[in-house]
PDB file of all heavy atoms in Angstrom:
ATOM      1  N   GLY N 234     101.460   4.533  58.928  1.00 44.00           N
ATOM      2  CA  GLY N 234     101.703   3.090  58.933  1.00 44.00           C
ATOM      3  C   GLY N 234     103.179   2.802  59.023  1.00 44.00           C
ATOM      4  O   GLY N 234     103.614   1.883  59.704  1.00 44.00           O
ATOM      5  N   MET N 235     103.990   3.599  58.321  1.00 47.00           N
ATOM      6  CA  MET N 235     105.425   3.354  58.345  1.00 47.00           C
ATOM      7  C   MET N 235     105.997   3.631  59.725  1.00 47.00           C
ATOM      8  O   MET N 235     106.890   2.905  60.178  1.00 47.00           O
ATOM      9  CB  MET N 235     106.125   4.265  57.314  1.00 47.00           C
ATOM     10  CG  MET N 235     105.789   3.916  55.852  1.00 47.00           C
ATOM     11  SD  MET N 235     106.354   2.289  55.396  1.00 47.00           S
ATOM     12  CE  MET N 235     108.112   2.571  55.496  1.00 47.00           C
ATOM     13  N   ASN N 236     105.498   4.673  60.384  1.00 50.00           N
ATOM     14  CA  ASN N 236     106.027   4.988  61.711  1.00 50.00           C
ATOM     15  C   ASN N 236     105.729   3.878  62.714  1.00 50.00           C
ATOM     16  O   ASN N 236     106.422   3.707  63.713  1.00 50.00           O
ATOM     17  CB  ASN N 236     105.439   6.300  62.229  1.00 50.00           C
ATOM     18  CG  ASN N 236     105.985   7.509  61.431  1.00 50.00           C
ATOM     19  OD1 ASN N 236     107.082   7.413  60.861  1.00 50.00           O
ATOM     20  ND2 ASN N 236     105.218   8.587  61.389  1.00 50.00           N
ATOM     21  N   GLY N 237     104.657   3.065  62.418  1.00 52.00           N
ATOM     22  CA  GLY N 237     104.263   2.017  63.368  1.00 52.00           C
ATOM     23  C   GLY N 237     105.001   0.703  63.173  1.00 52.00           C
ATOM     24  O   GLY N 237     104.713  -0.248  63.878  1.00 52.00           O
ATOM     25  N   ILE N 238     105.928   0.653  62.167  1.00 54.00           N
ATOM     26  CA  ILE N 238     106.622  -0.619  61.883  1.00 54.00           C
ATOM     27  C   ILE N 238     108.056  -0.501  62.343  1.00 54.00           C
ATOM     28  O   ILE N 238     108.760   0.471  62.017  1.00 54.00           O
ATOM     29  CB  ILE N 238     106.569  -0.929  60.373  1.00 54.00           C
ATOM     30  CG1 ILE N 238     105.125  -1.132  59.906  1.00 54.00           C
ATOM     31  CG2 ILE N 238     107.403  -2.177  60.058  1.00 54.00           C
ATOM     32  CD1 ILE N 238     104.956  -1.351  58.432  1.00 54.00           C
ATOM     33  N   ASP N 239     108.484  -1.522  63.071  1.00 60.00           N
ATOM     34  CA  ASP N 239     109.870  -1.595  63.510  1.00 60.00           C
ATOM     35  C   ASP N 239     110.631  -2.438  62.482  1.00 60.00           C
ATOM     36  O   ASP N 239     110.683  -3.665  62.557  1.00 60.00           O
ATOM     37  CB  ASP N 239     109.957  -2.226  64.899  1.00 60.00           C
ATOM     38  CG  ASP N 239     111.401  -2.276  65.413  1.00 60.00           C
ATOM     39  OD1 ASP N 239     112.290  -1.756  64.715  1.00 60.00           O
ATOM     40  OD2 ASP N 239     111.601  -2.882  66.485  1.00 60.00           O
ATOM     41  N   PHE N 240     111.157  -1.782  61.425  1.00 58.00           N
ATOM     42  CA  PHE N 240     111.811  -2.503  60.331  1.00 58.00           C
ATOM     43  C   PHE N 240     113.020  -3.274  60.814  1.00 58.00           C
ATOM     44  O   PHE N 240     113.304  -4.356  60.338  1.00 58.00           O
ATOM     45  CB  PHE N 240     112.231  -1.503  59.227  1.00 58.00           C
ATOM     46  CG  PHE N 240     111.082  -1.067  58.371  1.00 58.00           C
ATOM     47  CD1 PHE N 240     110.475   0.145  58.588  1.00 58.00           C
ATOM     48  CD2 PHE N 240     110.601  -1.898  57.364  1.00 58.00           C
ATOM     49  CE1 PHE N 240     109.412   0.538  57.812  1.00 58.00           C
ATOM     50  CE2 PHE N 240     109.531  -1.484  56.579  1.00 58.00           C
ATOM     51  CZ  PHE N 240     108.920  -0.271  56.797  1.00 58.00           C
ATOM     52  N   LYS N 241     113.734  -2.705  61.770  1.00 65.00           N
ATOM     53  CA  LYS N 241     114.936  -3.380  62.262  1.00 65.00           C
ATOM     54  C   LYS N 241     114.575  -4.694  62.963  1.00 65.00           C
ATOM     55  O   LYS N 241     115.175  -5.751  62.719  1.00 65.00           O
ATOM     56  CB  LYS N 241     115.658  -2.450  63.244  1.00 65.00           C
ATOM     57  CG  LYS N 241     117.063  -2.911  63.624  1.00 65.00           C
ATOM     58  CD  LYS N 241     118.012  -2.764  62.456  1.00 65.00           C
ATOM     59  CE  LYS N 241     119.445  -3.067  62.869  1.00 65.00           C
ATOM     60  NZ  LYS N 241     120.377  -2.957  61.740  1.00 65.00           N
ATOM     61  N   GLY N 242     113.537  -4.590  63.799  1.00 64.00           N
ATOM     62  CA  GLY N 242     113.084  -5.804  64.502  1.00 64.00           C
ATOM     63  C   GLY N 242     112.522  -6.860  63.562  1.00 64.00           C
ATOM     64  O   GLY N 242     112.770  -8.059  63.715  1.00 64.00           O
TER      65      GLY N 242
END
Side-chain angles (χ1 to χ4, degrees):
M235 292 296 293
N236 290 335
I238 297 176
D239 182 4
F240 283 100
K241 191 70 173 179

